[in-house]
Amino acid sequence: MSLTSLPIQVLSQMLSKKEISSVELTQAYLDNISKDQQDPQPINAYIKVTPELALEQAQLADKNIQANKHTPLTGIPLGVKDLINVKGIATTCASKIMTGYIASYDATVIDRLINKNGMPHLGKLNLDEFAMGSSNETSYYGVVRNPHNKEYSPGGSSGGSAAAIAGELAPITLGTDTGGSIRQPAALCGCVGFKPTYGRVSRYGATAFASSLDQIGPLSKTVTDAKLLYEAMAGYDAQDSTSSKNPIDSQPLNGNVKGLKIGLPKEFFTSDLNEEIKNRIMDSAKSLEKEGAILKEVSIPEMIHAPAVYYIIAPAEASTNLERFDGIRYGNRQPANLLSETYINTRTEGFGTEVKRRIMLGTFILSAESYDSFFLKAQQVRNLLIEDYNKVFEQVDLILGPTTPTSAFKIGEKIDDPISMYLNDIFTISANLVGTPAISVPIGLNSQNLPIGLQLTARCFDEGTLLNGAYAIESLYLK
Ligand code: GLN
């Protein structure tokens, strides 16, 4: 078995027993990455690889392990979605407008994982431009391919983060999730993708897309791995005004589901859901029932409005967040005689089509004439959705359903049809609007050998129950 096929939980034990070194492990990943770069059909998970930095940090990790000054994450290489700042390295957000921008500080997650825990930095991972997309096709740095079948999309926007796990180009990665961008690519690439509760993980140093929805989280091979990374980066941070002081409940994973109440929302199991996925999800739910879980049909009536609400709130917030990219403060500038022309030329040249679509939509939504009828209405419906979730969580501990309506789709299949692309997130968006934690766990392959993901959602700040439920699901498929 090759080193790069192992979960970080195992690698961590091998490192602390000194059976392997971090330099050896990091080099194994760098070799896989350079092999992929030479492939005529590369996965293209990375925008920038940082081999010198990674090996230097790996050497330091080995020294600290020798000196017994280490944590379970010391020496495990990390891949970072390229909208999270790593000091001294370019943050591109996969956009042309960011050309030339070098991060001047570390994001809080980078400070905790790399500086404090000693994880070597492999590189910056590809994504949809400014995290807007579900297929990784809107990146200025080219499409990412799904390692399960390179004709297919890995999903998005954290497509690089998911493809790196599936293609053994990183043992664990960071993604961000605004409407599903960790869970959807995790489902399409057959890995674990975990979005913590809003406010659990500091967003300081992550480029904002929609500030009331964004959350950083891990993508990994196993639930145990995701928990390890999550616990090392979660927790209060004074630099993020939405960061929560709620204590982290770290239960050991035992997969015990006896008496656990699991809700199956009927709105998840409609004709929009692919038959094969539906059957596999139901089989998994029934297996949990056999182990003592109590299944219950529940209803989230407002869920059908979630995509519409999201595609009002997210573009509105994005249009204001992206105002700062004007050619003066960051990245690329297209100079002109008038300042206003500099703004216009820079933004016209620098942003791609999808980003422009969102900015125009958001600006329209926030205009005086449409604010009440769109933005305010969407916030009201968002509140109704929150009430729906509160009611469901009075009856059950977890919500179980699919992560995506279909398995991976072909590259090019949906890019010219934004509505069909947007509907990819129909099952993931609600967790962002409500703020709940949610996770996608792989539950095998379909008849075309493409992965299927199951999604669990828990009450806000109940990551403990969520991760244990996910571990129970994972155990069904590892048996
Ligand atoms: N696919 C969704 C969008 O394009 C979600 C993106 C995300 O979670 N960053 O907005």
Side-chain angles (χ1 to χ4, degrees):
M1 196 175 269
S2 74
L3 271 187
T4 55
S5 68
L6 298 171
I8 69 165
Q9 182 197 15
V10 176
L11 293 171
S12 168
Q13 285 160 6
M14 293 169 81
L15 282 167
S16 71
K17 286 189 206 147
K18 303 180 187 72
E19 291 168 7
I20 54 165
S21 70
S22 174
V23 168
E24 193 184 331
L25 178 64
T26 305
Q27 191 60 55
Y29 277 104
L30 292 171
D31 290 347
N32 282 5
I33 297 168
S34 61
K35 224 179 284 157
D36 178 64
Q37 286 169 335
Q38 283 148 30
D39 194 298
Q41 244 193 347
I43 295 171
N44 196 28
Y46 285 87
I47 288 177
K48 184 175 178 63
V49 191
T50 55
E52 293 86 12
L53 178 65
L55 290 170
E56 192 185 302
Q57 290 170 331
Q59 262 170 14
L60 182 66
D62 283 333
K63 259 195 214 145
N64 284 333
I65 293 170
Q66 284 295 342
N68 251 327
K69 284 195 291 192
H70 60 106
T71 72
L73 291 174
T74 307
I76 308 277
L78 177 72
V80 179
K81 185 175 182 178
D82 197 10
L83 50 57
I84 297 173
N85 278 348
V86 180
K87 190 176 174 176
I89 297 172
T91 304
T92 70
C93 303
S95 181
K96 186 179 177 191
I97 207 163
M98 296 294 278
T99 308
Y101 173 72
I102 306 288
S104 55
Y105 66 100
D106 280 326
T108 297
V109 290
I110 297 303
D111 185 45
R112 294 186 182 177
L113 298 176
I114 296 184
N115 303 346
K116 304 230 160 66
N117 277 279
M119 300 181 80
H121 178 268
L122 282 173
K124 304 298 293 284
L125 293 158
N126 210 337
L127 65 150
D128 280 298
E129 185 179 359
F130 283 103
M132 297 175 191
S134 304
S135 65
N136 226 294
E137 290 166 289
T138 72
S139 168
Y140 179 62
Y141 295 90
V143 66
V144 176
R145 297 176 184 279
N146 191 321
H148 287 268
N149 183 332
K150 288 186 176 174
E151 302 297 317
Y152 284 73
S153 162
S157 66
S158 312
S161 307
I165 301 292
E168 296 185 16
L169 305 174
I172 190 144
T173 60
L174 286 177
T176 59
D177 194 311
T178 304
S181 277
I182 290 176
R183 292 160 286 154
Q184 185 258 17
L188 270 41
C189 288
C191 56
V192 172
F194 171 33
K195 180 198 96 71
T197 309
Y198 181 76
R200 253 312 187 210
V201 175
S202 168
R203 293 180 291 114
Y204 179 70
T207 310
F209 164 6
S211 311
S212 78
L213 306 163
D214 296 342
Q215 186 56 199
I216 300 176
L219 292 97
S220 60
K221 287 198 179 81
T222 66
V223 175
T224 307
D225 284 6
K227 181 176 187 279
L228 263 171
L229 202 79
Y230 157 70
E231 286 178 358
M233 65 176 160
Y236 180 69
D237 175 22
Q239 307 268 38
D240 173 355
S241 61
T242 60
S243 169
S244 166
K245 287 187 173 156
N246 222 309
I248 293 158
D249 146 46
S250 171
Q251 315 172 7
L253 301 176
N254 59 18
N256 182 356
V257 292
K258 230 172 224 119
L260 190 74
K261 295 190 203 100
I262 300 178
L264 304 171
K266 60 176 189 222
E267 292 78 9
F268 277 27
F269 298 92
T270 62
S271 55
D272 292 334
L273 177 62
N274 166 282
E275 264 313 294
E276 241 182 310
I277 298 185
K278 191 191 289 183
N279 295 337
R280 193 70 67 83
I281 301 280
M282 287 315 294
D283 288 349
S284 311
K286 283 184 195 134
S287 303
L288 290 188
E289 191 176 31
K290 277 195 204 123
E291 296 188 4
I294 301 156
L295 301 185
K296 193 173 163 55
E297 190 189 272
V298 292
S299 175
I300 308 174
E302 293 299 334
M303 206 198 92
I304 50 162
H305 298 127
V309 169
Y310 173 87
Y311 279 99
I312 292 172
I313 293 175
E317 293 186 14
S319 74
T320 61
N321 275 328
L322 268 55
E323 239 168 39
R324 63 175 66 103
F325 302 107
D326 54 8
I328 307 299
R329 286 165 287 191
Y330 304 91
N332 200 9
R333 177 184 306 170
Q334 297 294 324
N337 290 335
L338 291 174
L339 182 62
S340 58
E341 277 173 15
T342 302
Y343 293 157
I344 292 170
N345 294 354
T346 300
R347 289 165 70 85
T348 306
E349 267 284 303
F351 288 134
T353 310
E354 185 59 30
V355 174
K356 284 180 187 155
R357 183 169 15 238
R358 307 267 179 129
I359 293 174
M360 287 197 290
L361 194 61
T363 308
F364 168 74
I365 288 163
L366 292 177
S367 65
E369 317 85 85
S370 38
Y371 184 88
D372 284 357
S373 44
F374 289 97
F375 192 70
L376 209 59
K377 266 277 170 322
Q379 294 290 15
Q380 287 164 339
V381 181
R382 183 179 187 176
N383 276 333
L384 294 177
L385 184 70
I386 294 172
E387 281 172 22
D388 275 3
Y389 269 77
N390 287 342
K391 271 186 214 143
V392 169
F393 281 128
E394 280 168 14
Q395 307 163 52
V396 297
D397 304 305
L398 288 177
I399 294 172
L400 183 151
T403 309
T404 53
T406 65
S407 292
F409 46 90
K410 283 212 165 123
I411 291 168
E413 196 180 313
K414 296 189 191 221
I415 193 68
D416 297 323
D417 180 359
I419 300 286
S420 114
M421 189 70 94
Y422 295 171
L423 287 176
N424 235 283
D425 299 322
I426 184 149
F427 301 130
T428 50
I429 277 172
S430 299
N432 301 80
L433 290 169
V434 178
T436 57
I439 189 166
S440 179
V441 188
I443 54 166
L445 303 175
N446 70 5
S447 48
Q448 293 169 285
N449 277 328
L450 294 168
I452 298 178
L454 179 149
Q455 181 178 221
L456 290 177
T457 310
R459 295 179 187 98
C460 284
F461 301 108
D462 194 7
E463 279 88 358
T465 307
L466 182 77
L467 291 168
N468 205 29
Y471 183 76
I473 297 283
E474 180 181 70
S475 309
L476 296 173
Y477 289 86
L478 295 179
K479 265 178 196 162

